[in-house]
Structure formats: structure tokens, C-alpha cells
Amino acid sequence: MRRIFAQARKELTQIVRDWRTLALALVLPVVLLLLMSTAISLTVNDLPIVVQDFDDSSASHDFIDSVRASITLHVVSWPVNKTAEEALASNVARAVMIIPVHFGRDMARGSNSPVQLLVDASDANTAKLVSGYANQIASAYNQQTAGG
């Protein structure tokens, strides 16, 4: 234990003696803290998502508009005749939202109309974020249509 204290005393004496080392020891951690706090951000913006609308009704267009209004998800155009797996495999999108054929009719009747979400899970964190944001958008749309 005496050796550790002797080494620590020697290093502290050396740091106090050389002002450059003292500045480096005090300023560098503060600069790194400021740099990392601005460089590392946990918010996600513009995640590409493909929306395949098989219904083409006004209700499905309203739902797609609510997805487009999100700052997190960015709707990428994708032809309906191509499969959703192709969009995920070609890395065009991180997720594919598929709106079924009778979506507008079911929403007009007040019944549930499931919307399928296929997520690329090669990055688990991004997949969880995409599904969470899509869930929030669908919940907000359901509340809006139920209130109206």
C-alpha cells in the first residue's frame, strides 16, 4: 500500500509541476463531455418505411397521412406489385406497413381492421423503435377516428 501512495504522490507532484499536464488533466475531460453530449443523440429521425396500400380508400389515405406526419418515420414510395420482403432485402426500408383490402370499409363500420407491420430486425434497437413509433401512430389514428 505504501508503494501505491508513493506512486500517486509522485504523479500528483509531476502534474502540479507541469502546467500543460495539469491543463490536460482538467480541461480534456470537460471538452470530451461537451463533445460527446452533442455528438451522441438517442433520438431517431427519418427511418425509411414502405406503406403498401391495397385498399386505396380515403380512410387508408388518412392513415398514410398520419404516418407521413411523423418526424421519425419517412415514407418511401414502393410499387404495390412488388413484395414487402423485396423492400426489406434491398435495404430500401426498415419496415413495411401493409394496409389490407377492406380497411376503409371496416373503419366506416367501426370494426377493427388490422394493419400488418413487417420490421427488419437486423438491428434490434432500430426494429424496436420502428415498431414502437408505428404503434403510437396507429393508436393516435384510432383515437382520432373514434373521437370523430
Side-chain angles (χ1 to χ4, degrees), residues 25-137:
L26 295 177
V27 174
L28 188 61
V30 173
V31 170
L32 285 175
L33 180 69
L34 292 174
L35 181 67
M36 292 299 177
S37 67
T38 58
I40 298 174
S41 175
L42 298 177
T43 59
V44 179
N45 293 331
D46 294 330
L47 283 171
I49 184 172
V50 168
V51 178
Q52 285 191 322
D53 186 10
F54 291 111
D55 187 36
D56 201 31
S57 66
S58 62
S60 67
H61 291 295
D62 289 343
F63 183 66
I64 293 171
D65 288 340
S66 67
V67 173
R68 281 196 179 111
S70 168
I71 61 170
T72 305
L73 301 177
H74 171 69
V75 177
V76 178
S77 62
W78 188 258
V80 179
N81 59 354
K82 289 191 175 183
T83 63
E85 290 82 11
E86 289 179 51
L88 295 175
S90 64
N91 230 4
V92 170
R94 294 290 195 160
V96 177
M97 187 175 288
I98 300 173
I99 300 173
V101 175
H102 299 293
F103 179 80
R105 183 191 68 189
D106 292 342
M107 294 303 286
R109 289 181 180 171
S111 64
N112 291 337
S113 182
V115 174
Q116 184 178 15
L117 181 70
L118 303 174
V119 181
D120 178 15
S122 60
D123 181 12
N125 189 36
T126 306
K128 195 167 193 98
L129 286 171
V130 168
S131 70
Y133 285 128
N135 238 349
Q136 287 179 353
I137 291 169

